[in-house]
Amino acid sequence: MKIVYFAWLRERVGVPEEVVALPDGVRTVGEVITHLSGLGENYAYAFERPSVIRAALDRKHVPLDAPLGEARELALFPPMTGG
Amino acid sequence: MKIVYFAWLRERVGVPEEVVALPDGVRTVGEVITHLSGLGENYAYAFERPSVIRAALDRKHVPLDAPLGEARELALFPPMTGG
Amino acid sequence: MAPLVVRLQAAPIDVEAETRLLSVGRGDVGAIVTFTGLCRDEKGTLSGLELEHYPGMAEAEITRIAEEAAGRWPLLGIVAIHRHGLVAPGEVIVLVAVASAHRQAAFAGAEFIMDFLKSRAPFWKKEHRSDGGEGQWVDAKESDEAALSRW
Amino acid sequence: MAPLVVRLQAAPIDVEAETRLLSVGRGDVGAIVTFTGLCRDEKGTLSGLELEHYPGMAEAEITRIAEEAAGRWPLLGIVAIHRHGLVAPGEVIVLVAVASAHRQAAFAGAEFIMDFLKSRAPFWKKEHRSDGGEGQWVDAKESDEAALSRW
């Protein structure tokens, strides 16, 4: 699955986007985050406080318990600070 | 006392301002309006609905039961429609 | 509070120039809310509005309202300019612009000033009809008086 | 609903030109509320803000918010323009301008759009420090999230 990162999440992970092969049991956004957290120190640091992470599937906001469904792009980012 | 009129009150009275000698018993704005109403048809028409009249004494809003006190200028006008 | 500009004028209002004063050369302003009230043509029936005012009281009353707003919210500047005389459709009748560090205060200040200006500043509008007929004085709206109760 | 302009741009925003579109050549607009959010310098400690956004989603999300506002109030036009990239103190980060026949709808529409834009549009601000040190990512404010509950 294509995953894109923004702001300090992007800086901590170290790449703006990547394609990640997800294990079969990973079906929700929250499960993706748990999976990513185990991929290395940079990921563990990026996701150390999962509760602050916001997510979008195919560019629409979703809660962390949202199923991935047929989505092609998952975006993970901190709370937004535009405006 | 100097009395100034605005908008349709000015049009109905027929003058923008005038000096009116007030009888001794006239001590409040409302009493001035009652007195003016008896001065002629134009006044009676202007003040036919006293409840819609707004007033200012020396350029400060006052209720109709406000005493005239030492005020030099009484303004009478319809509800305001600026902005 | 920083700059407070209150003015009545017969000439058209230069919204951009008046509003620019609120932020030029300063780094503390984070939000500016600008309200402009425009003359409508009421589906083509009006050629304009004649704005009558009470000289001396109008400017004082708007100043009083603006200072009240400055006391309620942390504002960094207020501009309030009102036309008098004949105004054509599409022209600005009133400009209220409020600066603050943050948006909530700027919005609240601008709405407060407009709500009180509508019902407390001594201006009256008379319609000028496109067909040349005698225009009517605009009636005050009860909703404008009611709007004050929330403050 | 009439014109809906939503745009992201790296270039400075021409507030006057963008807002003029809402009223030029029409007689039905009686009120325009304009919000501009400006880059603050935080008492001289910042040389600017870097605005990161999610291309593709940012414009779509602002459009969605603007259309929601247009469904709630009788609006006659909306302009919403957001900068991205580096913005200097005093420059406009975001412009939201809303036209309506009357002021209440224009104020409500502009505040609604700004409240949701703040917490829902995918933008993130990073500080650039005047002293050249590493700047921080701006933290989201709880008050911005809380502001949504009133709508």
Side-chain angles (χ1 to χ4, degrees):
Chain A
M1 180 171 219
K2 182 181 176 186
I3 307 185
V4 297
Y5 307 103
F6 292 99
W8 53 256
L9 213 57
R10 171 181 55 70
E11 290 182 339
R12 291 182 183 187
V13 170
V15 295
E17 61 179 72
E18 61 185 333
V19 174
V20 175
L22 297 173
D24 273 353
V26 173
R27 297 213 171 84
T28 69
V29 172
E31 287 164 5
V32 173
I33 291 172
T34 304
H35 173 71
L36 291 170
S37 302
L39 294 185
E41 272 186 28
N42 53 331
Y43 291 97
Y45 178 41
F47 297 107
E48 64 183 357
R49 288 181 298 153
S51 65
V52 305
I53 307 296
R54 301 290 183 270
L57 279 172
D58 287 347
R59 303 177 179 181
K60 289 202 169 65
H61 291 295
V62 293
L64 297 190
D65 62 0
L68 301 177
E70 300 300 310
R72 300 170 60 169
E73 182 172 296
L74 169 62
L76 299 172
F77 42 80
M80 290 146 281
T81 56
Chain B
M1 180 171 218
K2 181 181 176 189
I3 307 184
V4 298
Y5 307 103
F6 292 100
W8 53 257
L9 213 57
R10 171 180 55 72
E11 290 182 339
R12 292 183 182 186
V13 170
V15 296
E17 61 179 72
E18 61 186 333
V19 175
V20 175
L22 297 173
D24 274 353
V26 173
R27 297 213 171 85
T28 69
V29 172
E31 288 163 6
V32 173
I33 291 173
T34 304
H35 174 72
L36 291 171
S37 302
L39 294 185
E41 272 185 29
N42 53 331
Y43 291 97
Y45 178 40
F47 298 106
E48 64 183 357
R49 288 180 297 151
S51 65
V52 307
I53 307 296
R54 301 288 183 271
L57 279 172
D58 287 346
R59 303 178 179 179
K60 288 201 170 65
H61 291 295
V62 293
L64 297 190
D65 61 1
L68 302 178
E70 301 300 310
R72 303 170 59 168
E73 182 171 296
L74 169 63
L76 298 172
F77 42 80
M80 290 145 281
T81 56
Chain C
M1 240 285 288
L4 170 59
V5 174
V6 173
R7 197 164 65 244
L8 308 187
Q9 61 185 53
I13 299 172
D14 185 340
V15 173
E16 202 266 335
E18 305 289 356
T19 306
R20 192 191 312 130
L21 294 174
L22 291 175
S23 63
V24 70
R26 52 195 299 182
D28 56 344
V29 170
I32 297 176
V33 171
T34 300
F35 175 87
T36 49
L38 294 89
C39 177
R40 284 176 282 121
D41 66 4
E42 305 298 347
K43 299 181 179 170
T45 60
L46 299 188
S47 62
L49 289 169
E50 181 81 30
L51 280 149
E52 181 168 331
H53 73 293
Y54 185 177
M57 180 172 171
E59 196 160 347
E61 189 67 13
I62 296 175
T63 301
R64 194 189 61 70
I65 293 165
E67 287 173 345
E68 167 89 16
R72 288 194 182 208
W73 293 279
L75 306 183
L76 296 171
I78 298 174
V79 172
I81 302 175
H82 205 297
R83 291 280 298 272
H84 59 79
L86 188 60
V87 177
E91 290 187 348
V92 173
I93 295 169
V94 62
L95 162 69
V96 168
V98 173
S100 182
H102 302 287
R103 77 184 185 288
Q104 290 92 346
F107 269 117
E111 280 194 85
F112 176 92
I113 292 170
M114 277 309 305
D115 277 356
F116 279 85
L117 190 151
K118 276 267 174 187
S119 297
R120 294 292 180 265
F123 291 88
W124 300 270
K125 293 192 186 99
K126 188 172 192 178
E127 299 176 344
H128 279 219
R129 296 182 55 86
S130 305
D131 63 9
E134 171 77 5
Q136 298 208 310
W137 289 95
V138 174
D139 270 331
K141 290 192 289 185
E142 282 185 28
S143 61
D144 283 333
E145 187 68 30
L148 304 187
S149 63
R150 63 177 168 146
W151 300 110
Chain D
M1 238 285 287
L4 169 59
V5 173
V6 173
R7 196 165 65 244
L8 309 187
Q9 62 185 51
I13 298 171
D14 185 341
V15 173
E16 203 266 335
E18 305 288 356
T19 306
R20 192 191 312 130
L21 294 173
L22 290 175
S23 62
V24 69
R26 52 195 300 181
D28 56 344
V29 171
I32 297 177
V33 171
T34 300
F35 175 88
T36 50
L38 294 89
C39 179
R40 284 176 283 123
D41 66 5
E42 305 298 348
K43 299 180 179 171
T45 60
L46 299 188
S47 62
L49 289 170
E50 181 81 31
L51 279 149
E52 182 169 330
H53 73 293
Y54 185 176
M57 181 171 171
E59 196 160 346
E61 189 68 13
I62 296 174
T63 301
R64 193 189 62 70
I65 293 165
E67 287 174 344
E68 168 90 16
R72 288 194 182 209
W73 294 278
L75 306 183
L76 296 171
I78 298 174
V79 172
I81 301 175
H82 205 297
R83 292 279 298 272
H84 59 78
L86 189 60
V87 177
E91 290 186 348
V92 173
I93 295 170
V94 62
L95 162 69
V96 168
V98 173
S100 183
H102 302 286
R103 76 184 186 288
Q104 290 91 345
F107 270 118
E111 281 195 84
F112 176 92
I113 292 170
M114 276 310 304
D115 277 356
F116 278 86
L117 190 152
K118 276 268 175 187
S119 297
R120 293 289 180 269
F123 291 88
W124 301 269
K125 293 193 186 101
K126 189 174 191 175
E127 299 176 343
H128 279 220
R129 296 182 55 86
S130 304
D131 63 10
E134 171 77 6
Q136 298 207 312
W137 289 95
V138 173
D139 270 332
K141 290 193 289 185
E142 281 185 28
S143 61
D144 283 334
E145 188 66 32
L148 304 187
S149 63
R150 63 178 168 145
W151 300 110

